[in-house]
Amino acid sequence: MATVMQYGGKASNLLRMQAAGFPVPPFFVVPRETVATMLAPLSADIERFCAALPRFDDAQLAQKAGEIQQKIKSLNLPASFPESIAADCRRLFGDQFRVAVRSSAAGEDGTKTSFAGQHATFLGVREADLVEKILAVVASAYSANALKYRILRQLSVRGIQIAVIVQQMVDAAKSGVGFSMNPGGNLADALIVAGYGMGEGVVGSRVETDTFVVHRPTGALESHITPKQTALVFSPGRGVVEMPVADEKRNSPVLTEEEVRQVWDRTLAAETLLGVPSDIEFSFDREGKLFILQMRPITTLDREKIKILDNTNIVESYPGLTLPLSFSFAAKAYERVFSSSSRAFLVPRSAIRGFSDVFQNLLAHCKGRVYYRLDNWYRMMSLVYGSRRSMQAWEKAVGLAQGESHSMHFSFWKKVRTVLASVWLILNYRQGNKRFFEEFYKNYAVLRDFRSHLSSPEQLWRHYENATGRLFRPWHLTLVNDFLAFKAFGWLQELTKQYGDDYSESLANDLLCGQGGVESEEAILSVLELKEAVKNDAELSALFRLPAGDILPLLAGPKYRMFYEKLHQHLEKYGDRTLEELKLEVKSPRSHPEIFIGLLKNQLLSTVTSLDFRRKQVEIRQNAENKIATYLRWWQARTWLFRAARSLAAYGLKNRENMRFCRTRAYSAVKDIFAEIGKMMAEKQVIAHPEDVFWLEIEDLRAFCPGEDRTSKIQKIAALKAAFETYRDLQLTDRIMYIGDELPGFGSRTWKKQPGAKYFQGIAVSKGIVTAPAAVITEPRLDADVRGKILVSKMTDPGWIFLMAQAAGLLSEKGSLLSHTAIVGRELGIPVVVGVTEATSIFKNGDMLRLDGNAGTVAWAAHVQES
């Protein structure tokens, strides 16, 4: 604070950057005490002028301010002052110096006020003009514009404090401004604007500029290049002048990608230094060296009011467009589950009630896509977790590319509460999980028994609410399991680091491979066994050569009774597993068996057997166990600690997958009930078609069933369908940040990857190296041809297991070490790399790729051979 008072906002920020190692051009400051001494002869005149300001209209203000400014500029300073200033310049900048003279008032470049463009700046100043320009900068604090700014911002016009910066000029070839958050768009983007020549050309809108947008979570770059005609340069004989841009540079980017990255790094560093969203002004000199000229907070952004939408992890469950009923049902489920779960972590009921708005808004529906309201998740998690380390473990587990836990603080008593809750949960952990599964299957059977309640919409709705209320009541135990699974897996990773090689993190994954009892694994084994039954029976093989629609009726006959019963058993147990299975509008194979017949036909083309599947799992796990065994002895305490961590992680992750399969079954049963309500609504002409029910929200159904509102929804649905058509081709980013209720604009975005890149780094989650052609899947189908190929996707959900089982490897834009993709990939024993941004855009169908599940990299096979 003392530095700000003495040197003003702009200069104190320069000093902070200098101390932090930013490339700041040499400078010194004429402090405010010195300026006050300079102005002492005019103190009475200035005081009278400022006291009279409220009585002036704009014309009078301009006149009187001009008079005061002229008096300041005409001050006769002691001879020692210019001599001292000139000596400082020669010492810092050399004899033939040229400097910039700039203001640094109290409040300038502050968190509330910027004073952008209100005070004078002079460039290329020589020794002979130095004192004159310093006085002119001081005088500019009393200009009509600067005073009007103070009045409008409700700042005092009396006792104005200003210092003056004298800084070495940069011979700028290109300059611009970098914003750590895009104040005019998605705040999850950093924004860089650059033009040729000096920065005054950019901030003064005197030159044409290019715009570079860097998506903060991924570093993906989008460039908007415009023709540049003009550069602002300093000419020794003429001062600051506009010059034409050379023809060969006019249509080229002002900044290279490397230069954009340098500016972006410094912009984020400025945000870290100030603790708030920030902007910087920068220049590259003729030799290509970067200089940061100033740093300041973005005064229009209040970080506390920023809303953060992030689709990490949730996109696995809700990829692409999701209809309103699916979203509203999920939002209500999240509210119910997480508010009740907080009690399990000893959060007081009063605190939970105070966070009701947070629990109601854990999800957001943006242009048809489902996002987490991440700002509300952090608020909720701050209720539950008591340490930054726990928050970071959660961030890592769900795969957040850019976490926010670094800015969070936890009290001592909250940490104590978290420790006590953790101990209590661990002691009751296995008993709680047992209770969950017992209650789930009992209540799930009740939920599915809805056909006895079809006599009226009101009765069906009452059944739905009662059954789902009971079904979701113990659901907080799934979150307890997740919490302890994340913890245990983190412990296991830490313990295996000391026993592994460069890819030691994958050791923890391999140790958990093929542990058995995982229903997602059992589902694919069941499919493989059905496939083998078809292949081993000539008549069944001949039957499955028919179109999928013709097979099912023939299977129902007595000739294939045994196989049909196995098929029925599979559908009853695993038939809710499919692509995008949590979307209520997506049909399940259990309700529509013809979907599964198509999947089974596709599997017949694969050579993978259930025996191969099991053998590969055992091999991966045994290799990991053998490696660990060379380091551990049974009598060592670390051996028992290791075994405990592995056992707890295996148990937790197995139950995590099985609990998610329970969720899949529950959602599928809800689909069936809502489909029946859709039929009832269509009969009463509330909607045009039964399937239109999925375009409504759950509150519409709640109002229809008891008869409270049975007005037509046909026009509403038509409008929604038209809106969703406009959303279909939008390329939304993974993270969207904004303030207020208005979302930033979206369009078709093309992210630019580094030219000539040969290797792309992601996260290694399942070991192995494979070279195979790419199968890029953006619109998944269960009958997609991925046999022996590297499956390249934006994300995967649990239903992708049927495609993954045929693939040679998997590359995904989304995912984490504990995502479905990772867990299933390890179970299948295929190389898996996740987190490669824009993989589906970089690679094309048929590209020969080398996927390295050890190092977490992917590259074109030809490039690997070249290197």
Side-chain angles (χ1 to χ4, degrees):
M1 180 62 71
T3 303
V4 175
M5 293 297 294
Q6 185 177 5
Y7 297 120
K10 187 176 295 181
S12 64
N13 285 342
L14 283 174
L15 290 166
R16 291 181 70 180
M17 286 196 293
Q18 192 177 63
F22 281 59
V24 177
F27 70 97
F28 68 88
V29 185
V30 181
R32 69 175 185 86
E33 292 93 341
T34 302
V35 172
T37 301
M38 292 162 52
L39 294 178
L42 295 175
S43 59
D45 292 346
I46 291 172
E47 178 60 28
R48 282 193 297 271
F49 166 70
C50 292
L53 270 177
R55 301 195 300 271
F56 295 155
D57 59 25
D58 288 349
Q60 291 173 316
L61 174 61
Q63 178 191 344
K64 298 295 185 181
E67 293 172 1
I68 284 292
Q69 284 184 280
Q70 189 56 45
K71 288 182 180 180
I72 294 172
K73 293 176 183 178
S74 302
L75 277 169
N76 289 318
L77 300 177
S80 59
F81 179 77
E83 291 172 1
S84 172
I85 293 291
D88 286 340
C89 286
R90 287 192 293 270
R91 176 175 51 82
L92 277 176
F93 315 132
D95 291 337
Q96 301 300 315
F97 63 82
R98 287 188 182 275
V99 294
V101 182
R102 309 163 72 189
S103 62
S104 182
E108 189 170 5
D109 289 356
T111 56
K112 302 294 185 183
T113 53
S114 67
F115 282 89
Q118 302 305 314
H119 298 145
T121 294
F122 297 97
L123 305 174
V125 179
R126 301 301 298 266
E127 181 175 344
D129 303 318
L130 190 54
V131 173
E132 174 192 334
K133 300 307 182 188
I134 290 173
L135 287 172
V137 167
V138 174
S140 71
Y142 296 91
S143 70
N145 287 344
L147 293 169
K148 190 70 173 180
Y149 178 88
R150 286 180 173 276
I151 292 168
L152 292 173
R153 299 290 294 171
Q154 298 182 337
L155 302 173
S156 174
V157 295
R158 307 176 81 164
I160 293 173
Q161 298 175 352
I162 186 170
V164 180
I165 300 166
V166 180
Q167 188 169 39
Q168 186 176 47
M169 283 280 291
V170 175
D171 185 15
K174 50 185 78 170
S175 304
V177 181
F179 297 86
S180 66
M181 294 184 179
N182 181 356
N186 183 2
L187 299 179
D189 294 337
L191 179 71
I192 298 168
V193 180
Y196 286 119
M198 304 169 64
E200 291 298 309
V202 176
V203 299
S205 301
R206 295 173 63 181
V207 302
E208 300 83 10
T209 57
D210 292 340
T211 302
F212 305 91
V213 180
V214 185
H215 193 49
R216 289 171 55 125
T218 63
L221 172 63
E222 180 186 13
S223 304
H224 299 275
I225 310 303
T226 61
K228 276 78 62 183
Q229 306 294 332
T230 310
L232 196 70
V233 300
F234 183 80
S235 172
R238 301 161 56 197
V240 178
V241 295
E242 295 179 7
M243 296 290 287
V245 174
D247 290 344
E248 65 272 15
K249 292 184 176 181
R250 289 189 175 184
N251 295 307
S252 299
V254 172
L255 302 179
T256 66
E257 179 156 352
E258 175 57 31
E259 288 170 339
V260 171
R261 300 291 176 191
Q262 288 183 52
V263 174
W264 180 45
D265 287 344
R266 291 300 178 181
T267 304
L268 295 185
E271 178 179 282
T272 301
L273 199 57
L274 291 176
V276 293
S278 306
D279 71 68
I280 61 172
E281 291 185 18
F282 65 90
S283 289
F284 286 91
D285 68 12
R286 303 289 171 183
E287 283 70 48
K289 184 178 179 182
L290 173 65
F291 290 95
I292 308 302
L293 308 177
Q294 71 178 54
M295 161 185 81
R296 61 190 169 211
I298 303 174
T299 56
T300 56
L301 299 182
D302 183 345
R303 190 156 198 158
E304 293 299 314
K305 296 180 180 179
I306 293 176
K307 296 175 182 176
I308 307 174
L309 309 187
D310 194 294
N311 68 6
T312 298
N313 195 257
I314 191 74
V315 75
E316 293 188 9
S317 302
Y318 297 96
L321 293 176
T322 299
L323 299 191
L325 188 57
S326 289
F327 170 76
S328 58
F329 173 76
K332 186 61 67 175
Y334 271 72
E335 176 191 357
R336 178 188 294 178
V337 169
F338 282 95
S339 58
S340 63
S341 299
S342 298
R343 285 295 300 141
F345 290 89
L346 306 183
V347 177
R349 286 189 173 88
S350 58
I352 295 173
R353 285 194 297 270
F355 273 61
S356 60
D357 185 62
V358 169
F359 289 115
Q360 290 167 14
N361 292 282
L362 292 174
L363 299 183
H365 207 202
C366 176
K367 305 296 183 183
R369 276 81 170 179
V370 178
Y371 283 82
Y372 286 136
R373 264 289 301 273
L374 197 58
D375 53 312
N376 280 340
W377 277 80
Y378 276 105
R379 292 184 181 101
M380 177 184 70
M381 289 300 186
S382 69
L383 275 179
V384 174
Y385 288 155
S387 72
R388 188 177 292 112
R389 188 170 182 176
S390 294
M391 290 290 286
Q392 288 169 344
W394 169 74
E395 289 172 337
K396 184 176 182 181
V398 300
L400 284 173
Q402 184 186 26
E404 302 290 329
S405 59
H406 60 275
S407 61
M408 302 184 71
H409 302 281
F410 301 90
S411 69
F412 171 76
W413 290 112
K414 183 172 283 188
K415 292 177 181 179
V416 170
R417 191 194 72 199
T418 302
V419 170
L420 293 174
S422 298
V423 170
W424 173 255
L425 293 173
I426 290 172
L427 291 174
N428 293 273
Y429 181 31
R430 293 181 184 268
Q431 186 61 37
N433 281 357
K434 180 182 177 183
R435 180 164 67 88
F436 170 82
F437 287 111
E438 288 174 351
E439 292 193 20
F440 172 79
Y441 285 110
K442 178 180 68 177
N443 293 320
Y444 171 65
V446 173
L447 179 64
R448 283 193 60 187
D449 183 26
F450 63 87
R451 298 202 177 276
S452 59
H453 301 274
L454 296 178
S455 58
S456 71
E458 184 176 10
Q459 187 179 355
L460 182 57
W461 186 258
R462 190 181 303 117
H463 169 76
Y464 159 78
E465 289 208 313
N466 290 339
T468 54
R470 288 191 294 269
L471 187 74
F472 287 113
R473 191 173 297 134
W475 218 267
H476 69 277
L477 295 169
T478 68
L479 304 185
V480 172
N481 181 80
D482 280 0
F483 171 76
L484 293 175
F486 292 163
K487 282 276 193 184
F489 187 71
W491 295 332
L492 184 63
Q493 283 183 306
E494 288 299 317
L495 291 169
T496 54
K497 278 181 182 178
Q498 56 190 305
Y499 309 129
D501 48 25
D502 292 340
Y503 314 123
S504 58
E505 200 167 54
S506 65
L507 255 182
N509 302 331
D510 296 346
L511 287 164
L512 302 178
C513 185
Q515 59 178 306
V518 179
E519 286 197 289
S520 56
E521 172 192 335
E522 292 171 352
I524 189 60
L525 283 170
S526 176
V527 171
L528 293 176
E529 288 166 0
L530 287 170
K531 179 191 77 172
E532 289 158 23
V534 173
K535 280 191 167 185
N536 294 331
D537 187 306
E539 290 186 338
L540 276 172
S541 296
L543 179 64
F544 269 79
R545 295 190 192 102
L546 297 175
D550 298 337
I551 296 173
L552 194 61
L554 295 173
L555 280 175
K559 187 175 183 179
Y560 306 107
R561 179 173 297 167
M562 186 175 297
F563 178 82
Y564 184 75
E565 287 177 357
K566 289 181 180 178
L567 175 67
H568 180 74
Q569 289 169 3
H570 171 90
L571 291 175
E572 186 62 24
K573 192 169 185 180
Y574 305 117
D576 297 315
R577 174 117 296 171
T578 188
L579 301 172
E580 304 183 356
E581 59 195 28
L582 296 188
K583 293 183 179 181
L584 302 181
E585 62 269 20
V586 172
K587 298 174 182 177
S588 72
R590 178 174 58 77
S591 300
H592 299 79
E594 67 278 4
I595 297 173
F596 182 75
I597 296 298
L599 179 149
L600 192 54
K601 274 176 65 69
N602 200 37
Q603 286 285 337
L604 289 171
L605 302 173
S606 168
T607 59
V608 178
T609 68
S610 56
L611 187 61
D612 295 334
F613 185 92
R614 292 188 176 96
R615 186 185 298 120
K616 190 180 289 187
Q617 290 180 322
V618 171
E619 180 184 344
I620 291 171
R621 187 179 67 251
Q622 285 184 346
N623 287 340
E625 289 173 345
N626 291 339
K627 189 167 192 175
I628 289 293
T630 61
Y631 295 97
L632 298 178
R633 300 292 179 269
W634 69 267
W635 62 84
Q636 295 173 322
R638 65 180 184 178
T639 302
W640 296 96
L641 182 62
F642 176 84
R643 288 176 179 173
R646 180 186 175 184
S647 174
L648 189 59
Y651 176 79
L653 293 180
K654 177 185 74 173
N655 281 296
R656 183 171 188 259
E657 285 301 296
N658 292 344
M659 287 170 169
R660 291 191 168 215
F661 214 132
C662 290
R663 181 182 64 175
T664 296
R665 293 186 172 108
Y667 276 47
S668 189
V670 169
K671 289 181 193 179
D672 295 340
I673 292 174
F674 286 173
E676 292 297 329
I677 294 175
K679 293 175 185 177
M680 295 174 176
M681 297 181 91
E683 286 175 5
K684 297 187 180 296
Q685 299 182 338
V686 174
I687 58 179
H689 308 285
E691 58 270 22
D692 285 347
V693 70
F694 299 108
W695 290 92
L696 299 176
E697 297 182 7
I698 199 165
E699 292 304 322
D700 294 318
L701 276 62
R702 190 189 307 277
F704 165 80
C705 288
E708 296 171 5
D709 180 8
R710 294 190 175 173
T711 58
S712 174
K713 300 294 186 292
I714 294 174
Q715 288 186 342
K716 173 184 176 179
I717 290 170
L720 279 168
K721 288 181 177 180
F724 269 62
E725 273 306 307
T726 67
Y727 302 157
R728 192 171 301 280
D729 295 328
L730 291 178
Q731 299 295 315
L732 272 62
T733 58
D734 303 332
R735 179 171 289 190
I736 301 166
M737 298 168 64
Y738 62 102
I739 291 176
D741 298 323
E742 199 68 32
L743 283 163
F746 300 102
S748 180
R749 308 184 72 164
T750 302
W751 294 109
K752 174 175 173 277
K753 297 303 293 186
Q754 185 175 349
K758 294 183 178 180
Y759 289 86
F760 298 90
Q761 183 68 52
I763 302 170
V765 297
S766 184
K767 291 178 71 173
I769 299 173
V770 64
T771 298
V776 181
I777 306 293
T778 54
E779 295 291 335
R781 306 186 324 275
L782 287 174
D783 59 352
D785 180 13
V786 299
R787 295 183 307 279
K789 299 176 182 178
I790 294 173
L791 177 55
V792 183
S793 70
K794 289 183 178 295
M795 43 60 61
T796 66
D797 63 30
W800 283 66
I801 187 171
F802 302 114
L803 295 177
M804 292 167 65
Q806 303 177 62
L810 175 65
L811 172 65
S812 179
E813 296 178 5
K814 294 285 188 179
S816 68
L817 284 167
L818 292 182
S819 65
H820 296 299
T821 309
I823 292 170
V824 173
R826 291 194 293 270
E827 297 294 344
L828 293 173
I830 61 173
V832 178
V833 175
V834 301
V836 177
T837 305
E838 298 300 306
T840 56
S841 299
I842 297 166
F843 303 113
K844 307 300 179 189
N845 272 319
D847 284 359
M848 190 60 66
L849 304 181
R850 183 181 187 270
L851 185 72
D852 188 336
N854 302 326
T857 61
V858 62
W860 284 283
H863 287 173
V864 176
Q865 292 168 3
E866 289 170 7
S867 59

